[in-house]
Amino acid sequence: GLIVQLGSIVLHEACEQCRQWLNAGFHVPVSVNISAVQCLNDDLVSLVRDTLSVTNLDAPMLELEVTETAFIRNFDETLHKFKELKEMGVKLSIDDFGKGYSNLTYLRRLDVDKLKLDMSYVRGMLNNQRDYEIVKTIINLGSSMQLELVAEGVETTEHCDALIKLGCQLGQGYLYSRPLNSKQFFDYLQTNLSADRRA
């Protein structure tokens, strides 16, 4: 019963961290998972608006990730809230797409920016033809709708190469980095983005 309060803390900390990166010269948007319970909370939109204001963060720097289960309980109410968030400039993505109901109504009516392919299919795509075809279909669907696509659970260069060939240009997983705390990630930014700037 603490997810709403915890989610509020996580949202604020993430936006505050993003502001610190910006102040240091790194333009790195931040993604925050929003639970189904939070989506039903009447204060969601005002919470996001107030958090952006307090942390002095522009709305496009924030992306909210929701799973398909967030829409099941009250789709119309959630749809209305998401429209308000989009009008503010906040980015929206559907997390773990393909794992849940994969209801195409969500894609037709929700103005989302990104689909995240569930890692269970990504990990199995090299050894299981059905997983490969599911990944291929989701990538084609997202591309045809001009949605950004992110593959979860990318752990090998073989996975990366196969996804690029299918048209998925973004990935997350251990191939790129293990989870990092804020200090470790700041060091990562300094090492990698600073080197890119010098180049």
Side-chain angles (χ1 to χ4, degrees):
L2 297 176
I3 190 62
V4 173
Q5 295 94 316
L6 179 60
S8 176
I9 294 171
V10 170
L11 179 64
H12 182 275
E13 290 297 317
C15 289
E16 179 60 35
Q17 186 63 67
C18 186
R19 166 45 56 194
Q20 292 179 27
W21 294 333
L22 282 169
N23 291 344
F26 298 110
H27 190 273
V28 181
V30 66
S31 297
V32 179
N33 290 94
I34 299 294
S35 74
V37 176
Q38 288 175 278
C39 287
L40 291 175
N41 191 293
D42 292 337
D43 297 329
L44 176 62
V45 175
S46 60
L47 171 66
V48 173
R49 183 184 293 109
D50 293 345
T51 302
L52 291 172
S53 177
V54 168
T55 57
N56 193 29
L57 191 67
D58 290 336
M61 294 299 293
L62 174 64
E63 176 182 295
L64 299 180
E65 297 185 12
V66 295
T67 60
E68 296 169 84
T69 55
F71 313 119
I72 295 174
R73 298 186 189 179
N74 194 329
F75 180 74
D76 289 333
E77 180 181 334
T78 303
L79 177 64
H80 178 71
K81 290 174 184 173
F82 281 15
K83 282 183 177 179
E84 288 189 74
L85 291 167
K86 284 290 294 181
E87 289 171 0
M88 289 167 50
V90 174
K91 305 291 185 182
L92 298 174
S93 70
I94 298 181
D95 197 16
D96 300 333
F97 188 79
K99 183 178 182 181
Y101 293 88
S102 301
N103 190 327
L104 297 183
T105 299
Y106 305 149
L107 296 184
R108 182 169 63 87
R109 296 186 60 191
L110 286 171
D111 185 17
V112 297
D113 302 282
K114 184 182 297 181
L115 289 183
K116 301 188 73 176
L117 287 82
D118 184 65
M119 68 173 63
S120 61
Y121 298 117
V122 174
R123 287 176 176 171
M125 67 180 289
L126 299 182
N127 304 311
N128 185 309
Q129 186 63 31
R130 290 189 176 184
D131 284 351
Y132 180 87
E133 292 300 330
I134 288 173
V135 170
K136 179 180 176 181
T137 299
I138 293 175
I139 290 174
N140 288 338
L141 174 65
S143 297
S144 68
M145 298 182 70
Q146 298 182 322
L147 298 175
E148 201 170 24
L149 291 147
V150 179
E152 301 175 323
V154 182
E155 298 186 348
T156 68
T157 54
E158 289 79 13
H159 281 108
C160 180
D161 292 342
L163 288 161
I164 290 175
K165 286 181 181 179
L166 289 175
C168 182
Q169 302 298 322
L170 298 174
Q172 69 179 60
Y174 287 171
L175 176 63
Y176 310 107
S177 175
R178 296 277 173 166
L180 304 174
N181 63 35
S182 58
K183 183 183 184 308
Q184 291 170 329
F185 187 67
F186 185 73
D187 293 340
Y188 177 90
L189 290 176
Q190 288 185 306
T191 301
N192 290 277
L193 294 190
S194 295
D196 289 342
R197 287 174 178 174
R198 287 194 298 270

